[in-house]
Amino acid sequence: MEYLFSIETDRLVLSDLTEDDKNFVFELFSNSSVLEFYDLKAFTSLEEAQALIEKMHKKWDEQLGFRLAIRHKQDRTMLGTCGVNTIKSIGGDFAVVIGYELHPHAWGEGYMQEALTGLIHYLKQEGLFQQQIKYVWAEIFEPNIRSQQVVHKLGFELVGKTANHTANNLSASLLKFELKLY
């Protein structure tokens, strides 16, 4: 496997998920607060965390997306993850759908805004898989106000609303936010 790139911000390092991260990944994806607005059932075993890490590596290898660990720069403590869930071709241009989550102990510190700023800057400067990215999209469940606030602060605009066709049991709609990079 070719290792992913890393991104540094003032307080954070976004870097490859490794097998050493599986305990944190399990803790993250078995936490009901994290999964409240997420399209994933709570993990019940470490094997599920390991499988998710392997799935993210495969996604990178197949040039379909990626996931980076969000780590505190000082002590490398893992706080969450973020990345590109999918890449879409739109009439000769390319768009990415981002995804992200943060452990509740790191909420309210501005970490996700900082991590996504670094990720977006990378996508704007470097592109992805030899493609220049024109749009960054985020799909957020309507009741997830905190996530909406993060993307608003980053300059995303609400561009649509769709019915929830995910495995999440929420009856709420999904809001689609867009950031145009050029």
Side-chain angles (χ1 to χ4, degrees), residues 143-158:
N144 191 347
I145 302 302
R146 294 180 91 157
S147 188
Q148 291 177 51
Q149 290 171 335
V150 169
V151 298
H152 277 298
K153 287 177 185 173
L154 295 171
F156 283 71
E157 294 182 15
L158 178 63

Side-chain angles (χ1 to χ4, degrees), residues 85-100:
N85 292 341
T86 48
I87 304 164
K88 300 186 180 209
S89 178
I90 311 288
D93 292 318
F94 289 90
V96 296
V97 179
I98 59 170
Y100 48 90

Side-chain angles (χ1 to χ4, degrees), residues 37-106:
F37 303 115
Y38 211 89
D39 182 21
L40 187 69
K41 292 187 189 234
F43 285 0
T44 58
S45 72
L46 277 176
E47 289 76 22
E48 290 171 293
Q50 180 64 40
L52 180 67
I53 292 169
E54 290 170 6
K55 178 181 175 184
M56 292 302 122
H57 289 166
K58 184 176 180 185
K59 202 171 212 183
W60 172 260
D61 291 342
E62 294 175 357
Q63 297 189 351
L64 299 173
F66 63 88
R67 205 68 163 189
L68 296 171
I70 301 170
R71 303 178 198 282
H72 200 277
K73 191 184 264 187
Q74 282 187 327
D75 60 10
R76 302 290 186 189
T77 302
M78 192 166 164
L79 305 172
T81 77
C82 66
V84 169
N85 292 341
T86 48
I87 304 164
K88 300 186 180 209
S89 178
I90 311 288
D93 292 318
F94 289 90
V96 296
V97 179
I98 59 170
Y100 48 90
E101 61 283 322
L102 204 57
H103 194 283
H105 74 256

Side-chain angles (χ1 to χ4, degrees), residues 2 6 14 16 39 61 72 74 98-99 120 122 133 135 137 153 157 161 165:
E2 176 188 331
S6 65
L14 283 58
D16 213 8
D39 182 21
D61 291 342
H72 200 277
Q74 282 187 327
I98 59 170
I120 291 164
Y122 178 89
I133 306 302
Y135 302 102
W137 294 332
K153 287 177 185 173
E157 294 182 15
K161 182 177 184 176
H165 297 294

